[in-house]
């Protein structure tokens, strides 16, 4: 059962925390009533569902859930039927963001559309100073990471942990360096095998990744070896050059269910 063995008091990597937050990232795709029911089963007795208003012309959704020990913020990701359109528009402009860096304009605007109600929900539910946790998959991963950055930059508010799955790049090197200096040891970014979304927007467009890198190989074994990752990228470099020729493998590896398989297999593994 997710969150039955959750460790809200640690900022270090914990496999049970990873599995629970992965389940929450998947739950974020469900209908509001299913989210409330699911959180209740996990012992998160207070839940608020938030979505961007129609006039914002954004489609951002998240939920904030809490119990006496933790407050959880989980962003919904990209619907599978919209993923190809999202990838086609993946390279976009950079605008001013947290820490004096620059970030993906679309991600920034999507987060802005729910920023105030998200803060209000956190303040209302975090009535005992509970540990604050963020998660998300795909586009939701980008929004969760950007929210953590804004909280730290604007309010000097650290979080206990950020676990993301299939996260695209969200900012430039200035943003990456400043974020990692302060948050890298509590931010864990999972990449599943050939997941195409983790490779956009491209480095050539000025974007960089943030957080502590964790990788599931084709056998769902968990690795934290960056040298292995670079060797892997060398082998697939020809495929990365043209997203339109990636086929179904990079899309299938992006599915949240594929990440959950890796999390379940490695629920007792500490990669560091």
């Amino acid at each position: 059962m997710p969150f039955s063995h959750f460790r809200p008091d640690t900022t270090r990597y914990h496999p049970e925390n990873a599995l629970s937050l992965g389940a929450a990232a998947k739950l974020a795709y469900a209908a509001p009533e299913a989210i409330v029911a699911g959180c209740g089963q996990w012992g998160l007795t207070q839940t608020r569902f938030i979505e961007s208003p129609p006039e914002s012309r954004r489609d951002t959704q998240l939920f904030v859930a809490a119990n006496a020990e933790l407050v959880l913020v989980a962003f919904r990701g990209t619907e599978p039927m919209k993923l190809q359109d999202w990838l086609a528009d993946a390279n976009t402009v950079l605008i001013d963001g947290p820490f004096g860096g620059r970030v993906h304009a679309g991600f920034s605007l999507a987060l802005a559309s729910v920023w105030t109600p998200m803060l209000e929900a956190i303040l209302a539910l975090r009535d005992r100073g509970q540990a604050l946790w963020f998660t998300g998959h795909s586009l939701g991963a980008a929004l969760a990471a950007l929210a953590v950055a804004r909280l730290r930059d604007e309010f000097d508010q650290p979080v206990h942990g950020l676990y993301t799955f299939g996260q695209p790049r969200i900012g430039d090197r200035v943003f990456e360096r400043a974020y990692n200096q302060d948050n890298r040891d509590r931010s864990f970014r999972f990449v599943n095998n050939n997941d195409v979304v983790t490779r956009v927007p491209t480095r050539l467009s000025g974007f960089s990744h943030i957080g502590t890198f964790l990788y599931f190989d084709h056998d769902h074994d968990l690795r934290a070896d960056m040298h292995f990752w670079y060797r892997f990228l060398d082998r697939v470099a020809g495929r990365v050059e043209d997203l339109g020729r990636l086929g179904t493998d990079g899309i299938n590896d992006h599915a949240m269910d594929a990440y959950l398989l890796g999390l379940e297999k490695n629920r007792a593994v500490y990669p560091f």
Side-chain angles (χ1 to χ4, degrees):
M1 175 75 71
F3 292 92
S4 58
H5 299 288
F6 194 83
R7 288 284 305 277
D9 57 335
T10 184
T11 60
R12 295 180 178 271
Y13 179 81
H14 196 288
E16 288 289 348
N17 288 10
L19 183 58
S20 295
L21 293 169
K26 181 177 180 179
L27 183 62
Y29 285 97
E33 58 273 15
I35 290 174
V36 173
C39 288
Q41 292 174 358
W42 297 345
L44 300 169
T45 55
Q46 300 182 77
T47 306
R48 295 192 180 184
F49 179 79
I50 298 167
E51 59 184 339
S52 50
E55 61 270 19
S56 71
R57 303 183 69 180
R58 300 287 161 181
D59 188 26
T60 310
Q61 296 181 7
L62 67 140
F63 70 86
V64 183
N67 59 22
E69 296 182 314
L70 69 105
V71 173
L72 166 67
V73 182
F75 283 84
R76 190 191 70 175
T78 312
E79 296 290 351
M81 67 285 296
K82 297 179 181 179
L83 186 55
Q84 293 286 7
D85 292 339
W86 187 88
L87 287 173
D89 194 34
N91 291 318
T92 188
V93 297
L94 287 156
I95 63 173
D96 291 344
F99 307 124
R102 294 172 68 79
V103 297
H104 186 293
F107 298 161
S108 181
L109 293 171
L111 178 62
S113 70
V114 294
W115 182 250
T116 297
M118 183 198 75
L119 289 180
E120 292 172 348
I122 292 172
L123 290 172
L125 298 183
R126 201 181 184 204
D127 55 352
R128 307 181 189 184
Q130 300 101 309
L132 183 58
W133 292 83
F134 279 76
T135 191
H137 167 248
S138 190
L139 172 62
L143 299 182
L146 190 53
V148 168
R150 283 193 62 178
L151 283 172
R152 187 59 164 160
D153 185 48
E154 297 177 20
F155 301 103
D156 196 26
Q157 173 62 65
V159 303
H160 266 69
L162 165 72
Y163 286 60
T164 65
F165 310 93
Q167 178 182 318
R169 298 182 179 97
I170 62 174
D172 66 4
R173 290 296 301 277
V174 174
F175 173 77
E176 172 214 346
R177 289 168 179 164
Y179 181 96
N180 283 344
Q181 182 177 4
D182 191 54
N183 295 286
R184 185 178 186 275
D185 291 342
R186 63 186 68 195
S187 299
F188 303 99
R189 178 177 58 85
F190 288 85
V191 174
N192 181 49
N193 198 21
N194 199 31
D195 183 347
V196 60
V197 173
T198 64
R199 301 176 205 162
V200 296
T202 64
R203 292 188 183 92
L204 291 177
S205 302
F207 288 83
S208 295
H209 268 309
I210 61 170
T212 300
F213 168 84
L214 291 165
Y215 176 70
F216 293 127
D217 66 18
H218 66 283
D219 291 321
H220 302 294
D221 291 326
L222 182 62
R223 297 174 177 266
D225 180 3
M226 287 299 292
H227 295 293
F228 170 86
W229 174 243
Y230 288 131
R231 289 196 301 271
F232 172 79
L233 284 182
D234 285 341
R235 292 199 302 273
V236 300
R239 299 178 68 198
V240 177
E241 290 177 0
D242 185 357
L243 294 177
R245 291 166 28 194
L246 277 170
T248 60
D249 188 41
I251 301 300
N252 291 339
D253 284 348
H254 182 62
M256 191 61 222
D257 282 341
Y259 281 92
L260 288 170
L261 285 174
L263 294 169
E264 183 64 46
K265 181 176 182 179
N266 295 276
R267 69 182 307 162
V269 175
Y270 290 83
F272 309 109

